[in-house]
Amino acid sequence: MFRAKVKTGLVAALLALTAFVGAAYAASLAMPTDRPILTISGKISVTNKDNTAQFDRQMLESMGLVTIETTTPWHEGKVKFEGVPMDKLMKLVGANGQRVVVVALNDYSTEIPMADFGKYNAILAIKRNGEYMPVRDKGPLFIIYPYDSNPDLQTQTYYARSAWQVAKIDVR
């Protein structure tokens, strides 16, 4: 009887260890194979380099792109943007903050409540009208809200949160 309890306890311990290792493995992020275009830092639990999550274009695209077709104050007529849902990106890196600070290549920064991402379905756009966005024209990454879906989004508050040339996101 004692041996049966020991074996049962050992099996339970091994199962718990396997579950822990499996969870830790599931929380890993591949390394970029190309030049990183986005670095996420701060209150995140899934990283791949120096406590940050770095992404190249292929990594972002492999998450699955969604499309937003909307008018913006920066373009003529409706524009089709394709990108990663910000809510999905934050979940992937295990973000556990209340807000993010987005920093552009030119050091412009804006603060966005994390609640915006699920509430308004904001995306980190990679393409505009089917083409990758060059740095000289608001690329490579641009936070876009579906402005036409809600009049509340057609205000300076949300336009200011729509950073282009995004390079870094710090979760706070």
Side-chain angles (χ1 to χ4, degrees):
M1 172 131 163
F2 178 73
R3 283 189 176 174
K5 284 184 180 181
V6 170
K7 284 183 182 178
T8 304
L10 185 58
V11 168
L14 286 172
L15 287 174
L17 180 61
T18 302
F20 175 75
V21 170
Y25 179 75
S28 67
L29 185 64
M31 289 295 294
T33 57
D34 202 358
R35 181 183 60 84
I37 60 173
L38 175 66
T39 300
I40 303 175
S41 60
K43 294 182 177 182
I44 60 173
S45 60
V46 180
T47 62
N48 59 6
K49 184 173 183 187
D50 302 328
N51 295 318
T52 68
Q54 295 187 0
F55 294 85
D56 60 21
R57 183 185 293 160
Q58 180 182 3
M59 291 171 71
L60 292 170
E61 286 184 310
S62 72
M63 291 180 63
L65 303 182
V66 298
T67 301
I68 291 177
E69 194 165 336
T70 190
T71 56
T72 79
W74 312 285
H75 304 93
E76 301 245 349
K78 282 203 176 216
V79 181
K80 182 175 118 179
F81 293 95
E82 297 171 68
V84 177
M86 285 296 295
D87 196 39
K88 186 175 186 178
L89 182 60
M90 292 296 102
K91 286 177 183 164
L92 177 73
V93 299
N96 60 12
Q98 298 299 310
R99 57 193 163 86
V100 299
V101 174
V102 178
V103 181
L105 292 170
N106 65 359
D107 290 327
Y108 170 83
S109 68
T110 188
E111 188 172 302
I112 305 172
M114 291 232 332
D116 271 16
F117 302 147
K119 182 177 180 181
Y120 297 116
N121 300 313
I123 66 170
L124 183 64
I126 296 173
K127 294 180 180 181
R128 183 179 57 245
N129 293 328
E131 301 289 329
Y132 293 112
M133 295 178 288
V135 170
R136 70 181 180 283
D137 193 11
K138 299 182 176 44
L141 304 170
F142 192 168
I143 294 181
I144 293 290
Y145 288 79
Y147 309 106
D148 294 346
S149 70
N150 184 333
D152 293 344
L153 295 175
Q154 298 169 8
T155 65
Q156 190 55 42
T157 297
Y158 294 95
Y159 296 148
R161 292 177 183 174
S162 301
W164 56 75
Q165 293 183 334
V166 172
K168 299 176 190 171
I169 299 174
D170 185 41
V171 179
R172 297 181 179 183

